[in-house]
Amino acid sequence: IMDVIADRVAGISFIRLPDRPYAGVVSQGVGLTGASTYHVLGYGGQNVKVAVIDLGFGGLSTAIFSGELPASVVKIDCTAVACIPTNFSSETEDHGTAVAEVIYDMAPNADLYLIKVEDSLDLIHAKDYCFLHGIDIINHSVGWFNTNFYDGACYFDNPVCTADHAYNNGILWVNSAGNHAKKHF
């Protein structure tokens, strides 16, 4: 149809479709850490269960469709009374999806569990879900402000206590650190 318009309307010399943005982001983790060497040797996270406990998984279906994440990801919502399966169809926060993509790049054969939380009680429920389902590693790249004295000690059931409890029961807890350095009390 565009050819017909271009040929029949005076003054039009060029028509094209609008430009489309490209949102594909490839993590730099594999290259920076040399993980591709391990991948070639057959180490890709097989027989390892990794949970990403985060605040949201927006764009998840697109990430799965484009191959950035496997269709086999387990999707769990712990923001209610219990942790329940979900499809994350109305998510807007995409941080968890981005974290999961990096983990998938680093360990493409690991079983991924994506678990949504909104508060410290949800975090405890998510940790308990991980116990019950034999999760080996928890990634929680989320910061918690004003929940302790930032000395790594467990006070009054804060998120440090949750991470300590997971670790003391055989789960490796991996957390972000320093993302907000010098930006909060």
Side-chain angles (χ1 to χ4, degrees):
I1 261 184
M2 292 178 71
D3 298 290
V4 173
I5 293 171
D7 290 341
R8 294 188 181 167
V9 176
I12 294 180
S13 60
F14 177 75
I15 294 179
R16 65 175 177 81
L17 293 172
D19 294 327
R20 296 270 190 202
Y22 178 71
V25 176
V26 178
S27 76
Q28 299 173 358
V30 173
L32 291 173
T33 63
S36 58
T37 301
Y38 291 99
H39 294 169
V40 170
L41 294 172
Y43 299 105
Q46 47 273 50
N47 303 315
V48 176
K49 293 181 177 181
V50 179
V52 176
I53 300 178
D54 213 291
L55 306 178
F57 296 92
L60 182 59
S61 57
T62 301
I64 292 170
F65 181 77
S66 67
E68 293 292 323
L69 286 171
S72 61
V73 296
V74 177
K75 299 166 262 191
I76 303 296
D77 186 348
C78 290
T79 62
V81 177
C83 297
I84 58 172
T86 186
N87 61 13
F88 294 128
S89 62
S90 61
E91 291 289 304
T92 56
E93 172 58 58
D94 61 356
H95 184 265
T97 302
V99 170
E101 288 176 5
V102 172
I103 292 170
Y104 181 60
D105 288 346
M106 295 293 290
N109 300 114
D111 296 324
L112 291 178
Y113 290 72
L114 310 182
I115 304 174
K116 181 179 178 177
V117 298
E118 290 180 344
D119 59 36
S120 58
L121 293 176
D122 296 344
L123 185 63
I124 293 169
H125 295 303
K127 180 256 312 168
D128 292 343
Y129 174 91
C130 291
F131 285 153
L132 291 173
H133 292 86
I135 303 297
D136 302 295
I137 301 169
I138 292 173
N139 176 284
H140 187 58
S141 293
V142 175
W144 293 86
F145 299 141
N146 302 318
T147 59
N148 64 18
F149 298 106
Y150 301 102
D151 60 358
C154 172
Y155 298 100
F156 307 111
D157 216 16
N158 65 10
V160 172
C161 302
T162 305
D164 286 350
H165 190 245
Y167 180 76
N168 290 332
N169 286 279
I171 298 176
L172 174 62
W173 187 286
V174 179
N175 218 92
S176 58
N179 290 348
H180 294 280
K182 300 180 183 180
K183 293 181 185 175
H184 69 92
F185 299 105

